[in-house]
Amino acid sequence: METIKNYLETMFSNLPLSEEVRRAKEELLTMMEDKYYELKKEGKTENEAIGTVIREFGNLDELKEILGITNEFEEKENTRFVSIETVEEYIQVAIKMSKRIALGVFLCICSPVLLIVLGGLAEYGFGDENSMALGGLIVLLVFVAVAVVLFIFSGMKLEKYNYLKNERFQIDFSTKQYVLKEKEAYRSTQTLFVAIGVALCILSVIPILVTGVLFEEIEFLTVIGVGVFLILVATGVTLFIISGSRMESYKVILQEEEFTQEKKEMKENKLVQTVAGIYWPVIVCIYLGWSFLTFDWHITWIIWPLAGILFGAITVICNIVDEKHKIKG
Amino acid sequence: MISSDVIRGYNDTIILYLLLDGPSYGYEISKKIKERSHEKYIIKETTLYSAFTRLEKNGYLESSYGTETNGKRRTYYTITKAGLEYYKEKCEEWDLTKNVVEQFIKKI
């Protein structure tokens, strides 16, 4: 039976997603199913039954005329058609890569943890300050290096699907149903992830507060508090990225929200992209420059949350500028 | 086995005939065509469906969803008054056609 469904799917894959087409497909499937089960009942083998059903199916050209879709079909021909296989593949890759990106971000945020903790230990009198700092620094650089590799690697893997985000395309009815179902099924998980992530981000301040207020005199504990803070934030952000990217991949396929066909034509977010391309490298330079010049690693990490919040503001400004530009143009 | 090109003009007649006794659905009709023609004519699914749609558009048929059996919802087709008239016309047309063509048929 799967073979017959797939056959029908392939036959219909190039047709637009109109109500008439959907109905025709449903009707034809029912007829084919009826015939298939009858043949099986008569004692035909699976192969014979499928062979007969497909041989007696006929020709789709007959339907095109009846459904009046000949013209519509040709009009739409220049937009790319994306098959269900490609869609499944894209979603799988997007999920896999989002985990790698999330791991990379986790490593980036956590990279100074050991440096901060070792620095604290050294100040407290454990071990030699310089070698501790060197050890922490090496770990930091290794974490960042691994993260960069992960970013580049996943970026490359996802590159071949960029057209899904930037160009118009069409999918057939059943693909759309499939993705809608997946998206619906994932919604509760996403909500849970986001809720846990937010909770972690809020709770992350507690270790700093507790160690700072209750154990003020023990500086080492304050440092541990900062370390725990970073790990909690990193975990929260990881949850945001994993659940957000998966949801985004469904929206990309369904061409919803920021991925609608109209928005693709306007190329709306161009300014933000340009600004982000300059902004983040500059932030990294400031972070590394400040840190290496002063060796105040236990303070300099504050750049990251600040930069994140500032970027939110910049995004909004860019969008406003874009909007104005569009109205003028 | 009859070729679908030759019989094309008479698919409507065949389908309407099978609906004279009461509503029916896609596969049942195609099965009856096969049986009544002693397997000399097996109608293709696409042909059958396009005929249904065309006949319905012209007001010769009405379609409705039947009750679900085994989780399947079938579309049932019923012949309309206009459909009956059309059927009669087609029968007359066939008589005429048959008479005309027969004038040119002889055993050699």
Side-chain angles (χ1 to χ4, degrees):
Chain A
M1 204 48 232
E2 263 329 284
T3 320
I4 293 174
K5 274 188 190 146
N6 289 339
Y7 172 76
L8 201 60
E9 215 53 73
T10 321
M11 294 295 280
F12 271 79
S13 60
N14 284 327
L15 297 179
L17 307 163
S18 69
E19 179 56 28
E20 285 102 331
V21 171
R22 191 197 58 78
R23 204 189 136 192
K25 194 160 136 190
E26 195 185 288
E27 277 295 293
L28 288 166
L29 183 64
T30 314
M31 286 195 245
M32 289 168 100
E33 265 177 355
D34 285 345
K35 191 180 269 185
Y36 169 82
Y37 287 120
E38 182 104 352
L39 287 165
K40 291 277 282 200
K41 221 164 59 189
E42 284 168 14
K44 295 278 193 312
T45 66
E46 177 83 12
N47 277 342
E48 283 171 333
I50 291 173
T52 308
V53 169
I54 289 179
R55 196 173 53 246
E56 292 175 6
F57 171 71
N59 189 335
L60 266 198
D61 286 336
E62 271 185 299
L63 294 180
K64 280 185 190 170
E65 267 168 57
I66 272 301
L67 300 174
I69 51 182
T70 338
N71 294 334
E72 200 186 336
F73 179 56
E74 271 157 16
E75 228 172 83
K76 280 199 168 183
E77 213 155 29
N78 51 359
T79 51
R80 194 199 284 239
F81 175 78
V82 179
S83 70
I84 187 148
E85 288 80 21
T86 314
V87 166
E88 278 177 330
E89 192 185 281
Y90 164 70
I91 292 175
Q92 261 171 20
V93 172
I95 291 172
K96 210 166 150 193
M97 291 310 132
S98 76
K99 287 178 186 157
R100 299 209 172 137
I101 292 169
L103 177 63
V105 173
F106 183 86
L107 288 174
C108 278
I109 300 177
C110 288
S111 63
V113 168
L114 198 67
L115 187 67
I116 293 166
V117 171
L118 286 178
L121 270 177
E123 253 172 71
Y124 203 60
F126 288 112
D128 168 49
E129 195 167 339
N130 281 342
S131 53
M132 295 285 242
L134 184 68
L137 205 55
I138 288 172
V139 170
L140 181 146
L141 291 174
V142 169
F143 273 29
V144 172
V146 172
V148 170
V149 170
L150 285 170
F151 293 152
I152 294 175
F153 181 72
S154 37
M156 268 165 26
K157 283 266 173 175
L158 285 168
E159 201 177 355
K160 76 169 179 175
Y161 301 104
N162 273 349
Y163 71 91
L164 292 173
K165 288 189 182 176
N166 304 324
E167 291 169 26
R168 283 160 164 264
F169 62 88
Q170 31 168 348
I171 49 176
D172 67 23
F173 186 79
S174 63
T175 312
K176 194 174 170 185
Q177 292 304 313
Y178 162 74
V179 178
L180 275 173
K181 220 184 273 170
E182 291 276 299
K183 186 184 163 205
E184 234 15 78
Y186 191 65
R187 194 184 293 279
S188 55
T189 315
Q190 195 216 11
T191 314
L192 184 70
F193 273 37
V194 170
I196 295 175
V198 171
L200 282 175
C201 285
I202 296 171
L203 296 178
S204 66
V205 199
I206 292 179
I208 296 186
L209 290 178
V210 169
T211 53
V213 174
L214 295 184
F215 307 100
E216 205 179 354
E217 52 302 347
I218 315 173
E219 203 182 319
F220 171 61
L221 276 181
T222 320
V223 166
I224 297 280
V226 172
V228 175
F229 161 77
L230 286 179
I231 291 170
L232 288 177
V233 170
T235 313
V237 172
T238 306
L239 291 175
F240 293 150
I241 295 174
I242 289 176
S243 59
S245 312
R246 183 152 172 180
M247 223 30 168
E248 190 194 81
S249 74
Y250 297 139
K251 286 176 188 162
V252 166
I253 296 303
L254 297 170
Q255 308 196 72
E256 286 176 343
E257 293 172 28
E258 61 264 51
F259 304 109
T260 56
Q261 306 215 343
E262 294 71 37
K263 290 217 171 137
K264 283 176 186 171
E265 296 218 319
M266 292 183 208
K267 291 256 172 212
E268 208 178 22
N269 296 321
K270 235 182 169 176
L271 188 59
V272 181
Q273 281 161 10
T274 319
V275 171
I278 305 162
Y279 179 84
W280 290 110
V282 168
I283 296 292
V284 173
C285 286
I286 294 175
Y287 173 66
L288 290 177
W290 182 16
S291 303
F292 276 108
L293 286 177
T294 63
F295 262 81
D296 287 337
W297 294 93
H298 60 290
I299 300 169
T300 52
W301 57 266
I302 196 75
I303 284 183
W304 295 113
L306 289 180
I309 295 166
L310 185 62
F311 187 69
I314 290 175
T315 310
V316 173
I317 295 170
C318 287
N319 284 342
I320 293 171
V321 172
D322 262 342
E323 208 76 29
K324 282 210 174 132
H325 210 72
K326 222 165 47 202
I327 294 165
K328 267 189 209 161
Chain B
M1 182 81 109
I2 207 160
S3 105
S4 51
D5 275 333
V6 172
I7 206 160
R8 174 157 301 138
Y10 286 90
N11 284 327
D12 290 358
T13 320
I14 294 171
I15 292 165
L16 291 174
Y17 169 84
L18 292 169
L19 290 174
L20 289 175
D21 295 335
S24 186
Y25 58 91
Y27 176 64
E28 195 175 59
I29 291 174
S30 102
K31 198 169 94 179
K32 281 184 183 164
I33 294 175
K34 187 171 145 192
E35 283 167 6
R36 277 197 81 86
S37 70
H38 304 287
E39 305 205 5
K40 295 221 170 48
Y41 180 40
I42 295 172
I43 193 163
K44 309 265 188 205
E45 263 75 32
T46 50
T47 312
L48 192 57
Y49 182 73
S50 68
F52 284 151
T53 322
R54 195 160 15 82
L55 287 168
E56 196 180 357
K57 235 179 232 169
N58 292 332
Y60 301 145
L61 286 186
E62 269 168 5
S63 68
S64 60
Y65 285 122
T67 46
E68 282 187 31
T69 43
N70 311 325
K72 244 191 277 179
R73 195 175 59 160
R74 285 206 184 80
T75 308
Y76 278 80
Y77 297 94
T78 316
I79 189 166
T80 62
K81 244 186 188 157
L84 203 62
E85 287 307 311
Y86 177 62
Y87 174 72
K88 285 181 194 157
E89 273 170 42
K90 288 298 278 185
C91 288
E92 281 164 26
E93 185 194 287
W94 171 246
D95 272 337
L96 189 66
T97 315
K98 199 171 63 181
N99 283 335
V100 171
V101 176
E102 242 164 24
Q103 305 309 314
F104 304 94
I105 303 290
K106 71 173 181 184
K107 293 258 191 285
I108 302 170

